[in-house]
Amino acid sequence: MHKDCIYLDNNATTKVDPAIVEAMLPYFSDYYGNPSSMHTFGGQVGKAVRLAREQVAALLGAEESEIIFTSGGTEGDNAAIRAALLAQPQKRHIITTQVEHPAVLNVCQQLETQGYSVTYLSVNRQGQLDLNELEASLTGNTALVTIMYANNETGTVFPIEQIGLRVKESGALFHVDAVQAVGKIPMNMKTSTIDMLTLSGHKMHAPKGIGALYLRRGVRFRPMIIGGGQQRGRRAGTENVPGVVALGKAAELELLHLEEATAREKQLRDRLEQTLINTIPNCEVNGDPANRLPNTTNIGFKYIEGEAILLHLNKHNICASSGSACSSGSLEPSHVLRAMGLPYTILHGSIRFSLCRYTTEAEIDAVLAIMPDIIERLRALSPFKNDNVGWLQQQEKSVLGVGR
Ligand SMILES: Cc1ncc(COP(=O)(O)O)c(C=O)c1O
Ligand code: FES
């Protein structure tokens, strides 16, 4: 175990900010009361929960009453989708995209076995949606449109408000998985078309296992977790108070740092990306260059395996990833890159670097110093280098048409 690595895997999870650790610690030891208790001892804990709710609401430009604390992004996505369907039992159609996180995709796939029909919108080579396809898919039977704000693998940002306008015209509910976008893109629910929005603490320097669901006032909601009357009956269970306090503090810090941190991350990310592209032949950036998270770069290095690059980086104490954390190790090419219709060698040779406000110039320099050599060495061993039998061409052909 080494803790002093160059950590460029912030879309998988982030380091908990020391100020956040400090804010949450007293709620393990001194202030352990139940926030719902009548007595003053519990009451002061209830106050801390209310403050956190205000802090999260402020980050989203929402009302305090519109925030529900959850156990994280996965619960938020599940709860939003189930609630939207339960609230409109007569509607049986859902629209999502082919590039969602499994917390949305796998729920939709299960719903298909329960009699719902699901449209999985395609993306183009840049990972962008076709709004005409969305419009053509919306019907009076559409209960819910659930689309991510920003993609965790490529950083591609979808035109959420343009999508939302079309969704609103159709009368469907609009849920947005904004787990990767909150804290990186300014949010204002007051002027937004979003009905429900998921965020997760551990992508914004709070601990794992805490998150929030924004629920627009007036939107009908049926809770997924039922029990005591906590959180106005919308999410039962005694709140994870230290986590809630941490999420509140994280929201405060994200709001405070958003502008300056994202500008800095973007500048570092661009330097990393541009230098790699300029010094290493046969590589390209995956995703929409014009609409992308400021901290993410996903680069395909042709003719080698992404996992091999990651192993070499790992030897140098550099953390990056290929695709998403939950499916890494499977060696299956990413469903996101496949949906983009990328050629075989890009599918297999892509890795993601994701930065955060702690990333330094020196860390980027260290990656830049090591990468050309890693790629050159792996390519020298690559069976694709002398591809006399045309095997690669065959693969390229077979992959075309699998994803769009
Ligand atoms: C886009 C997206 N949605 C949902 C999740 C799930 O969040 P959590 O890990 O908090 O359950 C993640 C995190 O991997 C994500 O990147
Ligand atoms: S759960 Fe987040 S990457 Fe899979």
Side-chain angles (χ1 to χ4, degrees):
M1 287 267 283
H2 34 240
K3 75 178 183 42
D4 293 321
C5 62
I6 296 180
Y7 189 74
L8 296 173
D9 200 9
N10 287 281
N11 288 8
T13 198
T14 58
K15 168 195 164 102
V16 181
D17 188 305
I20 294 176
V21 175
E22 202 184 316
M24 71 191 291
L25 279 180
Y27 294 90
F28 287 107
S29 47
D30 299 338
Y31 303 105
Y32 55 81
N34 189 315
S36 301
S37 291
M38 287 294 293
H39 43 71
T40 317
F41 185 59
Q44 60 194 357
V45 177
K47 229 184 199 167
V49 170
R50 279 197 297 282
L51 170 65
R53 218 183 279 285
E54 279 166 26
Q55 289 165 318
V56 173
L59 178 62
L60 300 180
E63 303 280 324
E64 174 257 325
S65 62
E66 294 173 316
I67 305 300
I68 303 168
F69 292 115
T70 64
S71 65
T74 301
E75 185 191 322
D77 287 344
N78 274 260
I81 296 170
R82 303 274 174 200
L85 300 179
L86 285 170
Q88 314 162 89
Q90 71 293 357
K91 296 185 177 178
R92 308 289 289 177
H93 177 229
I94 302 161
I95 299 177
T96 186
T97 80
Q98 294 179 3
V99 297
E100 296 302 305
H101 189 272
V104 167
L105 275 185
N106 289 342
V107 177
C108 288
Q109 269 160 25
Q110 196 203 50
L111 287 165
E112 280 186 283
T113 69
Q114 296 168 5
Y116 286 90
S117 70
V118 182
T119 304
Y120 299 90
L121 298 174
S122 64
V123 295
N124 65 15
R125 177 82 189 237
Q126 250 104 52
Q128 266 307 345
L129 294 168
D130 173 357
L131 295 188
N132 293 325
E133 190 190 358
L134 168 70
E135 272 180 29
S137 309
L138 283 162
T139 74
N141 191 35
T142 309
L144 171 73
V145 178
T146 171
I147 292 184
M148 67 202 327
Y149 211 123
N151 190 274
N152 44 314
E153 295 190 27
T154 61
T156 297
V157 174
F158 285 149
I160 284 300
E161 296 305 333
Q162 288 180 47
I163 294 168
L165 286 175
R166 288 160 174 83
V167 177
K168 291 297 92 185
E169 266 173 36
S170 80
L173 284 173
F174 187 28
H175 167 248
V176 174
D177 175 341
V179 165
Q180 294 292 346
V182 171
K184 297 172 196 149
I185 298 172
M187 302 275 158
N188 186 1
M189 292 305 115
K190 287 192 187 66
T191 56
S192 172
T193 53
I194 298 171
D195 292 313
M196 293 182 279
L197 176 142
T198 301
L199 65 85
S200 176
H202 75 101
K203 311 288 181 171
M204 44 194 261
H205 303 290
K208 294 143 192 75
I210 184 73
L213 176 64
Y214 158 82
L215 176 69
R216 178 174 296 283
R217 187 201 298 228
V219 170
R220 280 177 66 201
F221 185 76
R222 294 279 216 96
M224 186 173 72
I225 296 186
I226 297 167
Q230 293 93 346
Q231 305 208 60
R232 301 174 182 216
R234 296 181 301 191
R235 202 279 193 181
T238 303
E239 295 86 342
N240 164 11
V241 175
V244 164
V245 168
L247 186 67
K249 187 70 186 171
E252 182 192 285
L253 293 176
E254 290 297 325
L255 194 57
L256 192 69
H257 292 304
L258 196 142
E259 213 172 307
E260 138 259 328
T262 50
R264 222 185 117 259
E265 285 164 38
K266 182 174 185 305
Q267 182 257 324
L268 287 175
R269 188 273 314 267
D270 288 347
R271 185 160 72 81
L272 171 65
E273 183 174 279
Q274 282 313 314
T275 315
L276 290 176
I277 295 288
N278 292 339
T279 50
I280 300 173
N282 289 313
C283 62
E284 56 189 67
V285 176
N286 301 319
D288 180 354
N291 299 289
R292 212 153 42 116
L293 288 176
N295 77 318
T296 308
T297 178
N298 186 311
I299 305 178
F301 298 90
K302 286 186 182 167
Y303 316 126
I304 43 182
E305 285 291 337
E307 277 72 15
I309 308 173
L310 295 178
L311 288 178
H312 280 266
L313 286 173
N314 192 49
K315 269 197 242 158
H316 291 92
N317 251 343
I318 297 167
C319 307
S321 78
S322 64
S324 53
C326 56
S327 52
S328 62
S330 73
L331 288 183
E332 267 292 297
S334 132
H335 73 286
V336 174
L337 302 185
R338 270 185 26 186
M340 290 159 67
L342 298 179
Y344 184 88
T345 61
I346 296 280
L347 281 185
H348 285 264
S350 289
I351 64 169
R352 173 188 76 189
F353 297 101
S354 46
L355 288 61
C356 75
R357 62 175 179 258
Y358 300 118
T359 309
T360 64
E361 295 272 357
E363 289 176 321
I364 297 298
D365 287 337
V367 176
L368 287 171
I370 216 88
M371 274 296 278
D373 191 45
I374 293 177
I375 304 296
E376 198 174 318
R377 275 201 277 161
L378 287 172
R379 282 208 177 128
L381 300 170
S382 166
F384 299 136
K385 214 182 52 154
N386 300 308
D387 186 25
N388 301 328
V389 289
W391 183 85
L392 185 57
Q393 264 172 327
Q394 285 258 308
Q395 294 303 312
E396 299 276 5
K397 265 194 219 133
S398 71
V399 162
L400 284 178
V402 169
R404 270 153 300 132

